[in-house]
Each structure stands twice: as C-alpha cells, then as structure tokens.
Amino acid sequence: MAQSEGEYEMSNKLKTVVFPVAGLGTRFLPATKAVPKEMLPVVDKPLVQYAVEEAVAAGATRLVFVTGRTKNAIADHFDKAYELESELAEKKKTELLEIAQSVVPEGVSCLYVRQSEPLGLGHAILCAKPLVQEEVFGVILPDDLIDNGDDPVMSQLVRHHESTGASVVSVTEVIPEHVNRYGVVDAPTFEGRSGRLRGIVEKPEPSEAPSNLAVVGRYLLSAEIFEILEQTAPDHRGEIQVTDAIATLLEKEAVDAYQFEGVQFDCGNKLGFLQATVWFGTKHPEIGPDFKHWLEQD
Ligand code: UTP
C-alpha cells in the first residue's frame, strides 16, 4: 500500500534504527579532526559497528545514519570492500574474509542522510524523518557503548515496548552531582525496571533534578516525535534537544523510562573510552587472557 506523507506503518516490531553520527566529537581532538569519533576502535571494532550489531540483534533491517561532512569513513565501513575482499579470497584468508563480509548482515540495508550543520541531537533525529516509515523506530548513539552479552539494550527496549505500546527511553542511575550532564527523567511510579514518564529535563542543576535517573543513548520513539521536533525551538546554545521534544511527546502519548541491564561506557569522553577498551580487551577471545595477565602484572 502506498504511504502518503505523515502516515506510518503500524507494527510493534522494530525495523528502522537511526544512528545520529553527525556530531563534531571535539572532546577527542585531534583524533577526530579527520576521523569520525564513531570510527574510533574499541579493541578491533569501531564504535559504530557495536551499535549496528546491537540494532541488528534487536531485529532492525533498515539502518539510517545521520552523517556530517567528515563522516564518509562510516559509509565506507559499511560498504562492500571489493579490493580487500578479492585479495583475501585470492590468498585464501577465509576467516578474515568472513570478518570483512559480515560487517553488515544480509537483508540489512544502510541508508545515509546528511545533517548539514550540527544543530543538536533532536535536529539530527529530525533529519532521518524521510527515511523512517514505521510508527515506532529506534535511536542508538554509538558513543554510548553498553555491554550486556547476548541481550543488548535495544532488545530490552523492544520487549518493553511490545508489552506496553509506549515509547521508551533507556536510563541509568548517576551520582546526584552528575545529573547536570544528562537528560533526567521524572518517573514517580517507577517499579522494577520501568516507570511512566511525568517529565524530563535536559541538564538540570542537582538541586532541581527530578531524580538521578539519566537518559543514556538508546530510544524507541513514536514517529509523532518528528512533528514535535519540527516545532521544537533551539535551546540557549542553538541546539534542538530531543529531551525537549520528548517532554512534549509525553503530554500526548505514553513514554516510559527503562532502567536497562548492562555495563555502560560513555565513549564520547576519553576516560569512558579507555575504560571500554580495558573492559572489551579483557573479554576479547583472542587477546583477552594475555591482556588480563599483562594488566595484573606490577
Ligand atoms: P555529543 O553530545 O557527544 O556531541 O553527541 P559530539 O559533537 O558528538 O561530541 P563533542 O561533545 O563535541 O565531543 C551525542 C550524539 O549525538 C550526535 C553525535 O554524533 C553523537 O552520536 N549528534 C550530536 C549529531 O548527530 N548531531 C548533532 O548536531 C549533535
């Protein structure tokens, strides 16, 4: 059936995940002058590939990357590497060939849209609007790397959505002094791992924060958010915040906060990135035992 503007497919299943990867990554300069932050490797995989694997594990088949001018390496990474693949095939390096070919599994398509100016996360998500066809879509920020073995966070959000029908934002507890770095939720009915949102605020002062539950980079959003983002005014820094749009969304539709299971690393800053490297390094099947041994030496 043809889809007219403003109409979205109804389904509880996740199909599209949006990856906003157009930020400037200034906290990683000079590394990010020419290389996108999302291409920085944790052990042997770029951050953005961890994010893609999480989306695919949750059932996504359409991956939408919101990119910027210096981000061509991301599209190259997910493209077929013809010369490399034929070289590896010729030299019978089958294992390496499989690694190169499995970056995007069969049946999954990658789509790209440009955010011409980094006008904020909300604006980046809005740029994906023409490529999202369903009523509900996922958003993953690759610099929030979360390890939970075989049950990644996006799968947890999908299950929560399937049982409630609500949009979902993932949250984690932070120390009260750090709430002014995050979007923070007001969810007074919190029970178990989730609670219905009554409010959400961006970077509140600790004395004014409604809780210490901070939003982490995983969302499952109703497509209604696009209409709201179009009407959302930029903040004092000139950025359109998705937090502000979610605050409007919850006045119209149910939005839940979900406290995910998993170990989270903020790889947008150097400390978090190094911690992730140590975490994934010690778990790596090839070098993990040696790396651990080396770490434990005086
Ligand atoms: P950050 O807040 O980490 O900003 O963005 P940044 O520009 O990437 O990094 P710093 O602060 O300069 O070091 C969080 C996520 O939102 C995306 C980023 O790519 C990152 O995945 N983003 C942010 C956009 O896609 N567009 C924007 O305008 C802002």
Side-chain angles (χ1 to χ4, degrees):
M1 196 173 72
Q3 187 191 335
S4 62
E5 213 187 326
E7 275 180 26
Y8 295 96
E9 280 174 29
M10 296 262 281
S11 166
N12 266 353
K13 288 247 172 295
L14 178 71
K15 188 171 174 202
T16 303
V17 170
V18 175
F19 304 89
V21 289
L24 297 176
T26 54
R27 284 170 291 166
F28 263 101
L29 282 169
T32 46
K33 205 173 154 213
V35 177
K37 170 174 72 172
E38 299 78 9
M39 285 302 293
L40 298 178
V42 170
V43 191
D44 51 8
K45 269 193 285 188
L47 284 171
V48 68
Q49 193 179 329
Y50 288 91
V52 160
E53 287 174 4
E54 180 174 339
V56 171
T61 51
R62 231 173 125 81
L63 312 179
V64 175
F65 298 86
V66 182
T67 71
R69 271 191 332 109
T70 58
K71 307 283 180 154
N72 293 341
I74 296 176
D76 289 344
H77 181 71
F78 293 110
D79 198 2
K80 190 173 167 64
Y82 183 75
E83 283 167 5
L84 172 70
E85 288 178 29
S86 42
E87 178 87 9
L88 292 173
E90 208 169 287
K91 294 192 170 151
K92 306 225 174 333
K93 298 193 170 174
T94 30
E95 244 178 70
L96 291 177
L97 181 61
E98 264 170 42
I99 291 174
Q101 287 176 333
S102 62
V103 166
V104 182
E106 237 166 86
V108 173
S109 49
C110 296
L111 305 164
Y112 300 88
V113 61
R114 285 276 182 113
Q115 184 190 24
S116 45
E117 271 183 278
L119 295 176
L121 177 57
H123 181 261
I125 293 172
L126 181 56
C127 290
K129 181 184 175 191
L131 299 176
V132 175
Q133 298 165 343
E134 303 81 39
E135 279 215 326
V136 171
F137 65 100
V139 176
I140 296 183
L141 307 190
D143 46 5
D144 269 327
L145 183 53
I146 310 174
D147 183 29
N148 192 42
D150 292 337
D151 188 21
V153 179
M154 189 45 77
S155 304
Q156 298 174 40
L157 299 194
V158 168
R159 282 201 302 276
H160 183 77
H161 170 72
E162 281 171 351
S163 65
T164 60
S167 291
V168 203
V169 298
S170 68
V171 296
T172 191
E173 270 184 26
V174 295
I175 57 169
E177 300 86 82
H178 287 177
V179 287
N180 55 5
R181 302 176 185 182
Y182 302 92
V184 175
V185 299
D186 178 12
T189 59
F190 221 90
E191 221 185 273
R193 295 210 159 267
S194 65
R196 184 102 338 146
L197 246 64
R198 185 173 65 179
I200 183 167
V201 278
E202 184 65 22
K203 300 187 176 70
E205 282 312 312
S207 58
E208 288 163 15
S211 74
N212 65 337
L213 288 173
V215 178
V216 172
R218 304 288 183 279
Y219 307 79
L220 209 54
L221 295 171
S222 151
E224 175 70 25
I225 200 83
F226 292 126
E227 271 65 43
I228 297 172
L229 281 166
E230 278 165 346
Q231 309 292 324
T232 302
D235 66 6
H236 63 281
R237 293 192 307 171
E239 294 191 349
I240 296 177
Q241 298 292 352
V242 70
T243 309
D244 294 337
I246 293 171
T248 306
L249 180 67
L250 62 86
E251 289 168 10
K252 304 177 175 197
E253 294 180 10
V255 183
D256 286 349
Y258 187 87
Q259 197 170 3
F260 59 85
E261 274 183 83
V263 186
Q264 181 235 344
F265 301 94
D266 178 1
C267 291
N269 75 62
K270 290 167 211 166
L271 180 62
F273 187 87
L274 282 178
Q275 288 165 337
T277 301
V278 172
W279 176 268
F280 283 93
T282 54
K283 290 180 80 175
H284 194 278
E286 183 190 328
I287 53 118
D290 286 349
F291 183 48
K292 224 170 170 174
H293 179 69
W294 179 77
L295 281 176
E296 281 160 8
Q297 281 175 347
D298 292 333

